[in-house]
Amino acid sequence: MKAAVLHQPGTPLAIEDIEIGEPGPREVLVRTAAAGVCHSDLHFLDGTYPFAMPVVLGHEAAGVVEKVGAGVRTVRPGDHVVTCLSAYCGHCEFCLGGRLSLCLATDTRRGEDEAPRLASPKGQMHQFLNLSAFAEKMLVHEHALVAIRPDMPLDRAALIGCAVMTGFGAVAHTAGVRPGETVAVIGCGGVGLAAINAAALAGAGRIIAIDRLASKLELALGFGATDTIDASATDPVEAVRTLTHGGVHHALEAIGLKTTAEQAFAMLRRGGAATVIGMLPPGVKIELKGTDFLAEKRIQGSMMGSNRFPIDMPRLVDFYLGGRLELDAMISQRLPLEGINDAFAALRKGEVARSVIVFQ
Ligand SMILES: NC(=O)c1ccc[n+]([C@@H]2O[C@H](COP(=O)([O-])OP(=O)(O)OC[C@H]3O[C@@H](n4cnc5c(N)ncnc54)[C@H](O)[C@@H]3O)[C@@H](O)[C@H]2O)c1
Ligand SMILES: [Zn+2]
Ligand SMILES: [Zn+2]
């Protein structure tokens, strides 16, 4: 099958023919229909985050089940599915506590003594985050996907696989935004736009979108933002304080920078909470004003929107089909797999909300 392979950090992906195995126990072979290009892929492509190479990137996908292995209970061939990198074991402390997205158990991967799911005629091929979506097929554990309604368009379903689950979950699960509360979202890429949409669904009183690109702020208004701040021209902390008479109840960072994570905490009102979604580079430390803790300000991380994706994703599909979740405007361009390097170039410039790779 055809796949986009990363051989060395910082080099273009190469379209190559690679091998994919047959589904073993609890495994599912999926024909990939569409895969979104997320900034997290770019962090690994750039080498900011290390990963074993060669590797097939991609982790935001939807497709159709082709074949299932022994003991698979939740899907059948022909089912439409969305994948999730939060493969959960189902029996560890985190899974049993309802925090599936924190599961680190290795049960959902193949063991060292088993044939790997992917291989190259030239040797090894690593699977990325249990998925490797920039390929015509994916071989994944049953706990890394969920079936969805067949009337859901698969290119838009793919977005739910990461950006939407992450942005929505950060608002609904991690931050727990309540009706009437004020929300600021720093960074209006796929993840930030999904957070803005979720804040609107949660009934937030004021939703302030912050970005450095006018085109992104314009887009944010269509996702439910009530106010916008151009961070290239204004200090966003001062601007948020002024707009909200003292700061927001919730600030969400959806970029992955030291400065913007610090800004998220600094723009809170008394008792507010900052939620950092962006992947800060390893080793980076952030600085907070210590006395702010006396105002009960909090800061927390959010992994894949603290999801319970088998429950969340079908509900997000219902939201879209019910006209309450904006996904159409999140797709800036659709490209074939051969356009993957163009998609990364556009993401680097910040000019797209999401590029989606579509397979024939
Ligand atoms: N925690 C998780 O589980 C999780 C899941 C998915 C993505 N992420 C991370 O979330 C982040 C966002 O992902 P994305 O795909 O939406 O990225 P993106 O590149 O599409 O969007 C980032 C946005 O931030 C804006 N921006 C950049 N610097 C800025 C600044 N200094 N001030 C204001 N705006 C600025 C850009 O113009 C762009 O619109 C990335 O770090 C990604 O790795 C984390
Ligand atoms: Zn992602
Ligand atoms: Zn677990």
Side-chain angles (χ1 to χ4, degrees):
M1 67 159 182
K2 216 162 53 170
V5 180
L6 177 65
H7 288 276
Q8 289 291 329
T11 62
L13 305 189
I15 309 298
E16 295 176 10
D17 255 317
I18 68 162
E19 291 149 19
I20 190 159
E22 288 290 312
R26 307 297 305 277
E27 288 182 340
V28 182
L29 183 66
V30 177
R31 184 163 48 75
T32 316
V37 181
C38 174
H39 206 116
S40 302
D41 293 306
L42 190 53
H43 291 312
F44 286 94
L45 193 161
D46 284 343
T48 313
Y49 277 77
F51 205 88
M53 309 217 172
V55 61
V56 177
L57 297 177
H59 65 276
E60 181 177 280
V64 180
V65 173
E66 202 158 279
K67 216 170 179 182
V68 300
V72 168
R73 281 171 293 212
T74 56
V75 291
R76 292 188 291 208
D79 280 354
H80 291 195
V81 294
V82 176
T83 60
C84 186
L85 69 85
S86 305
Y88 60 95
C89 75
H91 53 77
C92 72
E93 174 200 339
F94 301 108
C95 287
L96 294 175
R99 304 182 77 183
L100 309 193
S101 66
L102 296 184
C103 177
L104 286 177
T106 52
D107 315 31
T108 52
R109 302 170 188 212
R110 284 197 179 176
E112 294 286 318
D113 51 343
E114 294 173 275
R117 288 176 181 152
L118 302 179
S120 156
K122 296 176 214 152
Q124 268 193 316
M125 185 58 62
H126 296 280
Q127 188 176 36
F128 184 56
L129 310 177
N130 300 311
L131 298 174
S132 284
F134 297 148
E136 290 175 315
K137 291 180 188 183
M138 295 175 281
L139 181 57
V140 307
H141 192 275
E142 178 181 15
H143 284 179
L145 53 70
V146 62
I148 56 161
R149 288 164 57 172
D151 51 340
M152 177 69 187
L154 289 171
D155 54 356
R156 276 142 280 177
L159 302 173
I160 293 175
C162 179
V164 177
M165 184 67 264
T166 299
F168 173 87
V171 166
H173 299 321
T174 319
V177 173
R178 306 284 306 150
E181 288 183 330
T182 49
V183 176
V185 176
I186 314 176
C188 302
V191 174
L193 291 170
I196 289 166
N197 199 162
L201 280 168
R206 206 151 183 185
I207 305 165
I208 306 166
I210 303 166
D211 205 288
R212 294 200 301 198
L213 296 175
S215 59
K216 290 299 185 56
L217 295 174
E218 186 61 38
L219 204 51
L221 293 170
F223 283 74
T226 58
D227 302 85
T228 60
I229 294 170
D230 181 350
S232 72
T234 324
D235 172 9
V237 174
E238 280 315 307
V240 166
R241 283 179 185 281
T242 307
L243 270 175
T244 55
H245 310 291
V248 281
H249 294 98
H250 299 277
L252 294 108
E253 198 274 358
I255 304 168
L257 297 173
K258 170 182 166 69
T259 44
T260 44
E262 290 169 353
Q263 284 167 357
F265 188 71
M267 64 176 63
L268 297 174
R269 76 194 299 106
R270 292 172 66 76
T275 301
V276 179
I277 307 169
M279 290 175 61
L280 274 76
V284 166
K285 295 187 174 138
I286 65 167
E287 291 169 68
L288 309 173
K289 201 165 99 202
T291 50
D292 277 345
F293 293 117
L294 294 172
E296 295 196 0
K297 295 185 189 179
R298 289 165 292 142
I299 186 161
Q300 63 189 338
S302 182
M303 180 57 182
M304 289 301 291
S306 314
N307 73 75
R308 306 92 30 100
F309 80 86
I311 301 171
D312 295 321
M313 289 186 178
R315 290 182 184 172
L316 287 164
V317 166
D318 285 341
F319 270 139
Y320 171 75
L321 292 174
R324 298 167 70 191
L325 186 71
E326 175 63 274
L327 297 178
D328 299 349
M330 197 182 280
I331 303 185
S332 309
Q333 56 175 350
R334 292 174 175 78
L335 301 163
L337 187 61
E338 287 72 15
I340 186 80
N341 292 307
D342 297 335
F344 278 114
L347 181 59
R348 217 182 276 284
K349 287 190 208 132
E351 63 195 20
V352 287
R354 267 294 189 266
S355 299
V356 175
I357 302 298
V358 286
F359 295 82
Q360 298 318 316

